[in-house]
Amino acid sequence: MTALRVFFRCFDGCPGEWPLSLIDTRCPRCGGLLDVQHDEAALTHRSGAKWRELFDARRLSSNWPMSSGVWSKREWVNPELADEDLISLGEGWTPLVPMPTLGQELGIRNLWVKQCGHNPTGSFKDLGMTGLLSQVARLRRLGAHIPAVACASTGDTSAALAAYCARAQLQSIVFLPAGKLSDEQLTQPLCNHAQTVAIDSDFDGCMALVAAFCSRHGIYLANSMNPLRIEGQKTLSVEITQQLGWQVPDWVIVPGGNLGHVTALARGFALQKKLGLVDKEPRLLVAQAAQAAPLHRAYLNDWRFEKTVAGPTQATAMAIGNPVNVRKAIAELQRVDGAVESASEDEITLAWTAGDRHGLQTDPHTGVALAALRKQVEAGRILPSQQVVVVSTAHGLKFGTLKRAFHLSPGSDTQTALRNPPLRVPAHLPAIEDALLPKLR
């Protein structure tokens, strides 16, 4: 096969190409966002049928690195890497689960949930972090001085960075908004010995500070403004179509915070169509919490974006008022005739408790996606006959404290039926029967 080239190019169109060896992954000309550009002409030297055949064969392999859902598609991610560069924890290949009864409850007949929470650190962020840390490993092998890798995070990015840096034996630094993570999310970087910095600010403030810190001290930045993250995450779109027998769903619903994930999915589906693996692309629906919904406001305002200050929400990863990848996401959503929906806190709670009652362990962000699906079905945009994939971005056990508090607290009358507190009964069989048997009738 023809040698594959990959390089950086400015998203805003500045002339020039730059190698992936840049430490500061911003455009050297304008300081804006970069994209990873592949030589797609070289990729077309293998037909769509041959790509499908190759990816299906790799899926059946247990040999490393093909056991990674990302590196089994390495030609589309970073073909410059050698096996010794790959920093993998076995990410990807997460279940795509049919949920017909939950779908009927939400008004559609053909619902699937992509369980990204089954990744090593419990979220989809692992798909991007393996791509980024593997490039860092390559640069260090070639002699680059990279003393640490850093990120700002509302939880899942810090967990992924800390784990993959630990795998690479490289120092990680995470900037976190103080008091705004779940206990479980805070525990993850601490356990992997990340240098954890709690800052009295929101995510947007942490993002500005970590970007300035990295630029000043030669630290490698791991947030999704680094386009290498998007390259790993776009493999999720290939997993979805592959798990559906190389069929494309009508809609894919993606929870949206910093908006790198929807950008990645859109580009992954576009590449599959361009190379002939599939014959169409899905429409995309971004779901946001109403307390932090700048993209939804832009959608309602003819895609004119204005940054906001995010309010408090149980979907903490969405508490972002100025998403880094907003212009990339808007461009992709316009291209595929996508949409954006928001959900109130009550709607989010109703949705994740519904997911739990159908066997899922649903995080609040997936609750936002399920609530958005219900609203779009009711509005008539998503039709009952259409096939829909909801991307569940993280595992619900990352939010065990929140969910336990919900079920154990008295709460409002409107939510009483959603709660499932334990029964406290004496160690006496008749008392147990009196408590249980009425609930079985």
Side-chain angles (χ1 to χ4, degrees), residues 91-429:
E91 57 289 320
W93 296 133
T94 54
L96 180 64
V97 184
M99 299 296 297
T101 53
L102 176 60
Q104 290 172 11
E105 187 174 304
L106 297 174
I108 61 170
R109 295 191 289 272
N110 197 349
L111 173 65
W112 299 71
V113 176
K114 180 62 170 168
Q115 292 281 57
C116 296
H118 290 226
N119 276 297
T121 74
S123 86
F124 76 93
K125 299 296 180 75
D126 295 348
L127 303 178
M129 205 58 71
T130 185
L132 183 144
L133 259 296
S134 297
Q135 175 64 14
V136 171
R138 177 177 186 267
L139 296 179
R140 283 164 59 89
R141 176 173 62 83
L142 296 177
H145 177 64
I146 300 176
V149 183
C151 74
S153 178
T154 53
D156 292 335
T157 299
S158 63
L161 176 64
Y164 281 80
C165 278
R167 170 70 174 79
Q169 291 295 282
L170 176 62
Q171 178 65 61
S172 57
I173 304 170
V174 298
F175 286 33
L176 308 175
K180 297 180 181 179
L181 279 71
S182 72
D183 291 343
E184 297 84 357
Q185 287 174 307
L186 176 59
T187 299
Q188 288 183 277
L190 297 179
C191 288
N192 290 130
H193 284 255
Q195 185 62 62
T196 304
V197 184
I199 297 175
D200 293 323
S201 182
D202 58 10
F203 172 83
D204 295 308
C206 290
M207 186 67 249
L209 287 167
V210 76
F213 177 81
C214 289
S215 179
R216 182 174 296 186
H217 298 288
I219 307 298
Y220 200 87
L221 182 62
N223 281 97
S224 59
M225 67 171 56
N226 186 323
L228 292 169
R229 288 263 305 278
I230 289 175
E231 293 307 291
Q233 288 167 206
K234 78 183 184 187
T235 62
L236 183 64
S237 67
V238 187
E239 287 191 22
I240 290 172
T241 55
Q242 192 172 8
Q243 288 169 313
L244 292 174
W246 298 109
Q247 299 299 307
V248 178
D250 296 295
W251 285 90
V252 175
I253 302 180
V254 191
N258 224 3
L259 304 179
H261 200 34
V262 66
T263 303
L265 281 164
R267 292 182 177 181
F269 284 119
L271 186 57
Q272 290 182 74
K273 183 174 183 293
K274 186 173 294 186
L275 297 181
L277 284 79
V278 297
D279 58 5
K280 66 174 185 176
E281 298 176 58
R283 296 180 71 184
L284 299 173
L285 173 68
V286 175
Q288 294 198 299
Q291 289 284 87
L295 184 66
H296 186 230
R297 292 189 184 94
Y299 172 69
L300 297 177
N301 193 30
D302 197 27
W303 294 113
R304 290 189 291 272
F305 175 79
E306 294 182 5
K307 65 181 180 180
T308 62
V309 176
T313 172
Q314 60 188 297
T316 52
M318 293 184 179
I320 300 171
N322 189 21
V324 167
N325 290 292
V326 63
R327 292 189 300 118
K328 292 183 179 182
I330 288 174
E332 296 296 341
L333 288 167
Q334 289 178 315
R335 186 180 60 78
V336 300
D337 191 23
V340 188
E341 183 60 271
S342 66
S344 70
E345 294 302 299
D346 283 345
E347 289 170 332
I348 296 168
T349 300
L350 178 66
W352 68 251
T353 56
D356 285 357
R357 289 197 307 274
H358 287 270
L360 303 174
Q361 185 57 255
T362 317
D363 71 297
H365 309 86
T366 305
V368 178
L370 293 171
L373 170 58
R374 182 192 293 273
K375 294 174 78 170
Q376 288 286 293
V377 171
E378 291 173 352
R381 181 183 295 274
I382 296 178
L383 304 178
S385 60
Q386 291 182 313
Q387 185 179 48
V388 177
V389 171
V390 167
V391 177
S392 177
T393 52
H395 204 293
L397 292 178
K398 283 177 175 268
F399 297 86
T401 300
L402 178 149
K403 299 175 81 166
R404 183 171 62 251
F406 172 82
H407 285 291
L408 296 182
S409 64
S412 64
D413 292 340
T414 58
Q415 293 184 340
T416 298
L418 304 179
R419 290 179 162 79
N420 184 32
L423 300 173
R424 185 69 181 267
V425 297
H428 182 56
L429 182 58

Side-chain angles (χ1 to χ4, degrees), residues 423 429-441:
L423 300 173
L429 182 58
I432 294 172
E433 291 171 335
D434 289 343
L436 279 181
L437 291 180
K439 296 181 177 297
L440 303 181
R441 296 178 184 139

